[in-house]
Amino acid sequence: MPKITIDSIEVEVVQGTTIMDAARQIDPHTAPPAMCYHSGLNGSGGKCRTCLVKVVQTSETNPRPMPKLVPACRTLVEDGMKVENNSSPEVISARKGIVELLLINHPLDCPVCDQAGECDLQNLTFQHGAETTRYTEDRRRYPTKSLGNLIQLHMNRCILCFRCVYAADQLTDGRDHGVLNRGDASEIGTYIEKSIDNDFSGNLIDVCPVGALTDKTFRFKSRVWFTKPVYAHRQCETCCGKGVLWLKGHEVLRITGRRNAVGEVTEFICNTCRFESKSLHHWEVEGPAPIDQRSVISQNHYTS
Amino acid sequence: MVKLLLDGIEDPSIRYLNGYRAHGGYQSIEKAITMSPLDIVEEVKKSGLRGRGGAGFSTGMKWSFLDRKSDKPRYLVCNADESEPGTFKDRYLMEKIPHRLIEGMIVSSYALGVRHAFIYVRGELIWVAKHLEHAVGEAYSAGYLGNHILGSNFSLDLTIHVGAGAYICGEESALLESLEGKRGYPRIKPPFPAVSGLYGCPTVINNVESIAAVPWIVTHGGDAYSKIGVDKSTGTKLISASGHINRPGVYEIELGLPVEEFIYSESYCGGIKNGRALKAVIAGGSSVPILPAELILKTASGQPRLMTYESLNDGGFTSGTMLGSGGFIVMDDTTCIVRNTWNLARFYHHESCGQCSPCREGTGWMEKILHRIEHGHGTQADIDLLVDVSKKIEGNTICALGDAAAWPVASAVRHFRHEFEFHVRHPDQVTAPNHVANAAAYKYEEITHAKNND
Amino acid sequence: MNPTFSESTLSNINRLLSRYPADKRKSALLPLLHMAQAEFGGYLSPETMDYVAQLLTLRPIEVYEVASFYTMFHKQPTGKYVLEVCRTGPCALNGAESIIDYITRKIGVTINEISSDGLFTVKEVECLASCGTAPMMQLGERYIENLTEQKIDDIIDRLKHGERLDIEPNPENSILFRSCQGQSNG
Ligand SMILES: Cc1cc2nc3c(=O)[nH]c(=O)nc-3n(C[C@H](O)[C@H](O)[C@H](O)COP(=O)(O)O)c2cc1C
Ligand code: SF4
Ligand code: FES
Ligand code: FES
């Protein structure tokens, strides 16, 4: 099994592991940030460039460094590879640059965004962003478009990670939305108005790292940190039936899939579980959902 | 003057099969089928031929990386997407001598063990694609394409494919995506096309000019080719000359020609239009760094600059540039460098595919900053911001379009900072679109003055 | 009305499809969209794209995604003649800006607009690989190079009078083409 050293910590991984997954094996919290890669979606990654790392030694047999920073999520480990992640000033500076670029056209509307508190971009910015912006021009804006009555699209917030496109390809029985246009005019959409309707379409919300796709049935109901997440399961014919109920008192405000240590939902749930089972009697509650210590959701100690 | 690629171009009938054959066309196929495919790869390696699409990577080397062990079909794809501003050589060659490219595709396919090859022509060059299509039809009828070519057991189909308007489809993996009928998104590498290219099969992608050079190499041998040119810049190169010169056009030069001779000789560009002074040159297509007159004619160490990969690169990006695709854009002393840089930044912004964030967001930002400076709304801090944004893009993107967008901007500020500062300091004098350009002598002096005062 | 290709186009499409591996029909999407644009009014309406999707057994979104990526596909109706004038570096060095300005003033339109007589749309495009003959533009399939104001006057007058421009003939029977009303076989 290949051995790789990341920021001086050695780890042994199976052949075919990416630098990202190796780093997550060491510690999910120090692993490179990922805005587009999602371990549950084939082909995802490589696009946002926040996970760039420096390979100072390619392998045992090829001790040369790689000429450029490489995306950890799409670069395979080789035996004897040496990688610098948080220890490299070059990596930190590139990452800061990427965050700045991701934000120049972002509306920064966290105060009115349902994703606030569980937003990967918010967290990324908190960790790697600058306090002020050097961008003075108008930000890009898109006309509001509807994707039906379950999913709310806020294109202005989208960072074009392509995860929802992969999710629709891989989880649903046919994709009706995609990336239209080109360059910085690219947008997520259906081209002609069409509602995205399909047993697993709710997962597009869960894979979206920002507030571009949110749950319309939860819209403006509550800040996430005022709700209490509990693990629950139910008998379901279509999916695994394992969800998180976001409660306020005994009211189920929202249902999502369960997230792993790096915030990815990997066991996807169906729309019946997500949208049509919004009552405690549909579910068997297991107990409080584990929430990262540093998350604002846990800071609030489940105010109810 | 050696002419390998454009040989016979003055005869209009060379566009058609009989005319082409009268000039010795298709001989290399007869020779090739008596050779082993690997021997041809060897000849191409020996020739020292380097990719003419921009990167200058050894063609023989690229061919030897092709995965021949795989049991999947292998493909050869010719990159005729020519869209790099300043470059129009492939179009010229295909329009006038389509059979030279087709002959190249046939011998190259034989060498690579390819049974189905494609030529991806940019959509706007539709009439060129039609000439190629016609020529392909002629080649089929003459038995150069199809089953059992010239009675051998080598068979080949050749498809002319058209794009639909996207510079990014010149990037080889985006081209493959586009050829598969998708959006032109560059792929994340590895895997490289030699292992997984078109339809997931081992694929070689070469520029038109690279492939068109192969027949000559097969006929005359790799050694003969390597004797043309100097050092590691062997053979001839098509240069597309444009801008403020007396004789714009496509020239086939022997690599090693001094830049000064190329600009001023009557056999080539014929000097600067209207007898003006040379201000700057973009030597290899819009993506390569711009150089001021003094650095394009001579290297930083005072050696005459030659038209070779090495000489143009002498001094790295501090004082050198690249041969690139050979798009030679000449600017006289009336040119506003800021405006030209803004124009190119707009191009890259318009052409970014939008897949990766540094290029998608950064190219637009650079264009906006340049627009501001050019129109007299910029500040001193904007100039540094511009360079900083270009650094955030460079090297951090999926494909080289990010670099291609960053280099012209960074180099323009590096060599012409005084002009940017002039715009910032004298906003009232840059509001007309033709500023600097029209009252050139006067304003140019003023700019130089600004430079000397810094 | 639902778009339907003519018999002759359908047989051309079969010829086109035979040029790609049998299981890679999607490869024919770009040439097919060119054909559709030429046959159905010079632009790609959602109905046209749905029709093309159906011919290649693709989901409609796959066609929308592709059509919206490439600049040669018009998603909105255009004038009968689309003048696509190059605005990039080398052309700009040789006066593209003032030529574009001249053309739009002469026709009386802004960029991308349709003239009131429905005849013209002027578009700015990026380098067309014709920088040595700058400034230049594309009209349908053909390039018109070394533009001057007189040349523009002449072209526009002739187009207004429905005259054909002198065009170098192209090989016939080609199945590759693009929309270029009034100037096909350009
Ligand atoms: C943004 C971009 C545009 C490119 N455009 C072209 C092009 O129009 N024609 C071309 O031959 N190569 C182009 N290239 C280079 C190709 O990716 C590739 O290197 C080349 O076709 C390989 O052929 P060669 O080795 O024969 O040069 C482009 C590269 C990039 C990054
Ligand atoms: S560098 Fe630009 S063109 Fe290349 S993949 Fe990224 S966004 Fe697309
Ligand atoms: S997470 Fe690796 S590039 Fe986006
Ligand atoms: S810049 Fe206009 S054709 Fe190249």
Side-chain angles (χ1 to χ4, degrees), chain A residues 184-203:
Chain A
D184 68 358
S186 300
E187 64 175 302
I188 298 291
T190 50
Y191 196 71
I192 39 174
E193 191 165 316
K194 192 171 192 322
S195 66
I196 295 186
D197 224 347
N198 177 322
D199 270 355
F200 281 85
S201 65
N203 293 295

Side-chain angles (χ1 to χ4, degrees), chain B residues 21 47 61 296 330:
Chain B
R21 267 203 296 225
S47 75
M61 207 70 127
I296 188 68
V330 179

Side-chain angles (χ1 to χ4, degrees), chain B residues 291-332:
Chain B
L291 286 185
E294 61 274 18
L295 282 176
I296 188 68
L297 299 176
K298 291 210 164 45
T299 64
S301 55
Q303 297 297 313
R305 189 83 76 179
L306 308 178
M307 301 286 272
T308 63
Y309 293 95
E310 296 75 23
S311 176
L312 283 167
N313 197 225
D314 187 283
F317 278 5
T318 320
S319 62
T321 180
M322 286 161 75
L323 179 60
S325 62
F328 198 85
I329 311 169
V330 179
M331 290 167 240
D332 72 13

Side-chain angles (χ1 to χ4, degrees), chain A residues 43 45-50 52 68-69 71 74 93-94 96-98 100-102 104-105 133-138 140 158-162 166 179-186, chain B residues 165-168 183 185 188-191 349-365 368-369 372 384-385 388-389 392-393 395-400 403:
Chain A
K47 295 179 168 41
C48 71
R49 319 301 281 180
T50 55
L52 291 176
K68 292 194 214 172
L69 301 184
R74 291 291 292 253
S93 144
K96 194 169 168 184
I98 306 286
E100 179 174 31
L101 289 166
L102 280 174
I104 60 173
N105 276 304
T133 179
R134 300 184 289 174
Y135 185 76
T136 53
E137 276 82 6
D138 284 345
R140 185 166 64 228
C158 173
I159 57 158
L160 288 162
C161 69
F162 290 66
Y166 291 105
V179 179
L180 304 167
N181 305 328
R182 182 166 92 189
D184 68 358
S186 300
Chain B
Y167 166 65
I168 191 57
R183 294 161 66 83
Y185 280 150
I188 295 150
K189 285 159 259 183
H349 176 204
H350 185 258
E351 299 300 333
S352 162
C353 82
Q355 202 183 189
C356 67
S357 36
C359 167
R360 177 182 68 237
E361 306 296 344
T363 50
W365 196 3
K368 286 177 182 152
I369 301 169
R372 214 162 50 214
D384 297 319
L385 177 61
D388 200 47
V389 175
K392 308 234 129 119
I393 304 173
N396 292 338
T397 52
I398 294 178
C399 83
D403 300 340

Side-chain angles (χ1 to χ4, degrees), chain C residues 23-44:
Chain C
D23 56 339
K24 308 292 179 200
R25 290 158 58 91
K26 192 175 179 183
S27 276
L29 182 53
L30 297 188
L32 204 60
L33 284 171
H34 282 301
M35 289 179 173
Q37 177 159 300
E39 193 149 329
F40 305 121
Y43 79 109
L44 295 174

Side-chain angles (χ1 to χ4, degrees), chain A residues 72 91 106 117 141 234:
Chain A
V91 168
H106 190 82
R141 277 201 239 161
R234 63 189 284 269

Side-chain angles (χ1 to χ4, degrees), chain A residues 250-302:
Chain A
H250 291 288
E251 198 186 345
V252 183
L253 290 189
R254 175 173 76 142
I255 296 157
T256 65
R258 297 182 185 180
R259 292 183 187 274
N260 64 17
V262 289
E264 296 167 341
V265 171
T266 45
E267 279 187 290
F268 299 100
I269 59 170
C270 69
N271 283 7
T272 314
C273 288
R274 183 187 306 267
F275 297 117
E276 286 161 35
S277 314
K278 283 214 187 162
S279 164
L280 277 173
H281 76 258
H282 288 120
W283 296 88
E284 201 138 332
V285 173
E286 296 167 22
I291 291 289
D292 187 340
Q293 285 293 305
R294 286 164 291 187
S295 160
V296 60
I297 300 171
S298 74
Q299 297 304 311
N300 220 287
H301 298 295
Y302 306 152

